[in-house]
Amino acid sequence: MSADGIVRDHYRQFADWLAQQTPDAIERKRMEADLTFRRVGITFAVYGDGAGTERLIPFDLIPRIIPASEWEQMQAGLVQRVSALNMFIDDIYHEQHIIRAGIIPAEQIYRNAQYRPEMQGIKVANDIYAHIAGIDIVRAGAGEFYVLEDNLRVPSGVSYMLEDRKMMMRLYPELFASHKVAPVEHYPDMLLDNLRSVAPMGVLDPTVVVMTPGMYNSAYFEHAFLAQQMGVELVEGKDLYVTNNAVWMRTTHGPKRVDVIYRRLDDDFLDPLAFRADSALGVPGLLSVYRAGHVTLANAIGTGVADDKSIYPYVPDIIRFYLSEEPILNNVPTYQCRKKAELDYTLANLPDLVVKEVHGAGGYGMLVGPASTKEQIDDFRQRLIARPDGYIAQPTLALSNCPTFVESGVAPRHIDLRPFVLSGKTISMVPGGLTRVALREGSLVVNSSQGGGTKDTWVLES
């Protein structure tokens, strides 16, 4: 609804339909969705939860609806942002023009835990590092969009986007007959085409695999789902080996050469000869094949240098530097606590700010000042004083709400959106993305790993 309580135009038809549904009918559909998701095995790890680590991701039946005009603006901003970030990563590992120009201090790169000196000078296919990017966007204030985070390492959640759509079409096919909703089910085909487009030079019919840490990883369902949907092999490190400067896969028909690895494990575990020597998840010698240009890794090693929260404040300048354009999507104003004046401001205003660890992820290691106790704020104050360069702070945004089914009925809950941007020879994406919803009243934390839920995202075709 708008501020004056009027249902927005793009929601009006759905709102009329919803008003005709009985609570019992809705509850039956919710139970059917839960049963189906449980049967399929769509779960996520909720860490630190005494009730058990594996849970269903709560699915809400009320979709998030985006009109075509808003999506067009968002899509243009996403293409711009991801293009600039890929150019930035390529520059960091080669000429470093942006450091020489004084746009970003050298120590922000070299002291970054995600910077990989092993990548310096490596030529990657099409100069693309972040082949799959998940950009977290929120709506706030007068309705403008803000980017909260750039996820460029191993972004997850796209399987839930696809399964949410499949579920809504199963439960309410009549809604898709009456609404012109842009399709998303072709994402696996787009992903496979994108991965094949970045195969090593000279490979005409590349072999693509999805590499997983294994069944105990919190996103294992997604790894298996995407491999199955693309029609490629799901492998673990033990299924691959290096010989003759190439990566090979063990199969029942003998060795098969691998050209593109869509890897879903962190840099540290990829190659025990180059990174963590105790890793049993990786492939010894993988980096040497990668350096030689005989295999493509998606995403590339070292992409995390661009999605670290200490780099986030510089993204508008990164866009201006590489593209000579003004950013289409806003950054949230950010205080870098490594700077004394900004640290002082943060310490003086902790109850009103959101404070995040620069290397944190999944909603962990952060303080939401307005929702925190005095003890939690005091604890974070000591952490900031002890290690100010490990944190950034941001104002608490008035995030947009979407009606959501909760125990008491339909109530407003805060949401964000993670579109998935594919970069290869071209940049592409399916309309919309994964809408995540904070199910606790007043909460701003939408992460599935902390109990958040998901919604289907409808982009209406014009």
Side-chain angles (χ1 to χ4, degrees):
M1 295 183 176
S2 59
D4 54 5
I6 305 298
V7 176
R8 299 182 192 275
D9 287 346
H10 53 285
Y11 270 101
R12 187 166 294 129
Q13 192 174 355
F14 180 85
D16 291 343
W17 173 88
L18 185 62
Q20 299 170 19
Q21 308 305 306
T22 66
D24 285 347
I26 291 291
E27 184 57 31
R28 284 196 300 272
K29 295 292 188 179
R30 292 177 69 188
M31 291 176 66
E32 182 181 343
D34 283 354
L35 183 63
T36 303
F37 282 153
R38 191 176 300 279
R39 189 178 297 137
V40 174
I42 305 173
T43 60
F44 200 93
V46 181
Y47 300 110
D49 187 336
T53 56
E54 286 294 324
R55 282 195 173 184
L56 288 178
I57 295 183
F59 168 65
D60 188 63
L61 297 178
I62 299 179
R64 193 249 183 95
I65 304 177
I66 301 172
S69 58
E70 286 186 6
W71 172 247
E72 287 168 8
Q73 177 198 4
M74 202 185 305
Q75 186 175 34
L78 289 165
V79 170
Q80 178 195 62
R81 193 174 182 100
V82 171
S83 298
L85 287 170
N86 267 310
M87 295 171 76
F88 166 69
I89 303 169
D90 184 62
D91 185 27
I92 288 304
Y93 290 118
H94 291 86
E95 301 299 325
Q96 302 185 342
H97 295 298
I98 198 165
I99 295 176
R100 295 179 187 178
I103 306 295
I104 297 181
E107 63 269 18
Q108 286 294 97
I109 303 299
Y110 300 134
R111 294 181 184 175
N112 190 311
Q114 298 302 321
Y115 169 70
R116 302 293 179 184
E118 298 89 350
M119 286 294 293
Q120 206 66 47
I122 293 182
K123 171 71 174 173
V124 299
N126 297 344
D127 298 329
I128 299 297
Y129 288 76
H131 307 86
I132 301 98
I135 310 298
D136 294 343
I137 297 176
V138 295
R139 190 172 192 163
E144 63 272 23
F145 293 111
Y146 288 89
V147 173
L148 272 187
E149 283 187 12
D150 303 292
N151 298 283
L152 307 179
R153 285 172 255 181
V154 282
S156 64
V158 76
S159 61
Y160 309 115
M161 173 193 81
L162 295 168
E163 289 290 358
D164 286 355
R165 173 60 54 83
K166 193 185 301 182
M167 181 58 68
M168 282 296 288
M169 295 183 77
R170 171 179 174 163
L171 297 178
Y172 299 113
E174 70 273 17
L175 286 173
F176 293 88
S178 59
H179 291 78
K180 293 178 65 176
V181 181
V184 299
E185 58 269 16
H186 57 295
Y187 175 85
D189 295 332
M190 288 177 59
L191 175 60
L192 181 58
D193 288 345
N194 187 72
L195 293 171
R196 289 173 60 89
S197 77
V198 293
M201 188 177 299
V203 178
L204 300 180
D205 186 19
T207 297
V208 178
V209 299
V210 176
M211 185 178 179
T212 177
M215 63 181 294
Y216 297 108
N217 183 267
S218 63
Y220 179 73
F221 164 79
E222 177 159 301
H223 308 163
F225 175 88
L226 289 174
Q228 186 268 332
Q229 291 290 307
M230 288 192 290
V232 304
E233 294 294 336
L234 178 70
V235 300
E236 298 181 30
K238 62 189 178 185
D239 300 318
L240 304 176
Y241 65 96
V242 168
T243 189
N244 296 328
N245 214 13
V247 179
W248 300 82
M249 169 173 54
R250 296 180 174 91
T251 78
T252 54
H253 301 289
K256 184 174 179 62
R257 183 162 176 173
V258 173
D259 304 298
V260 181
I261 300 174
Y262 178 23
R263 52 95 172 205
R264 295 298 297 259
L265 67 162
D266 293 336
D267 292 353
D268 284 340
F269 303 100
L270 280 172
D271 183 347
L273 300 183
F275 303 113
R276 283 186 54 161
D278 62 346
S279 172
L281 303 175
V283 183
L286 178 60
L287 180 63
S288 65
V289 181
Y290 187 49
R291 290 186 68 93
H294 296 165
V295 71
T296 296
L297 295 178
N299 287 350
I301 296 170
T303 54
V305 72
D307 75 2
D308 188 274
K309 293 179 181 66
S310 66
I311 297 299
Y312 169 89
Y314 296 99
V315 174
D317 288 332
I318 287 173
I319 292 171
R320 295 183 186 103
F321 183 78
Y322 294 108
L323 300 178
S324 300
E325 298 172 0
E326 283 301 306
I328 297 171
L329 297 173
N330 300 305
N331 254 33
V332 180
T334 301
Y335 304 101
Q336 301 177 61
C337 296
R338 64 185 183 84
K339 299 180 179 180
K340 185 180 185 310
E342 296 183 22
L343 172 64
D344 292 344
Y345 176 86
T346 299
L347 292 172
N349 294 276
L350 274 180
D352 303 318
L353 299 174
V354 176
V355 185
K356 303 176 182 178
E357 283 186 324
V358 295
H359 305 314
Y364 297 99
M366 65 185 290
L367 174 83
V368 181
S372 300
T373 64
K374 183 179 183 302
E375 290 74 19
Q376 289 170 326
I377 291 172
D378 288 343
D379 174 63
F380 237 83
R381 186 184 306 279
Q382 296 309 312
R383 293 196 215 176
L384 277 167
I385 293 170
R387 195 168 62 88
D389 59 341
Y391 295 89
I392 61 167
Q394 297 170 333
T396 305
L397 297 179
L399 300 188
S400 61
N401 294 299
C402 188
T404 302
F405 282 107
V406 294
E407 293 300 321
S408 58
V410 178
R413 290 293 184 266
H414 294 303
I415 55 173
D416 81 350
L417 177 66
R418 177 176 289 183
F420 294 91
V421 185
L422 303 178
S423 299
K425 288 186 177 176
T426 61
I427 297 180
S428 59
M429 67 196 85
V430 295
L434 177 67
T435 290
R436 303 183 298 176
V437 54
L439 295 176
R440 299 188 187 97
E441 185 175 2
S443 174
L444 300 174
V445 181
V446 299
N447 304 77
S448 302
S449 54
Q450 297 209 33
T454 66
K455 290 174 173 284
D456 192 13
T457 307
W458 294 3
V459 172
L460 299 182
E461 295 181 319
S462 54

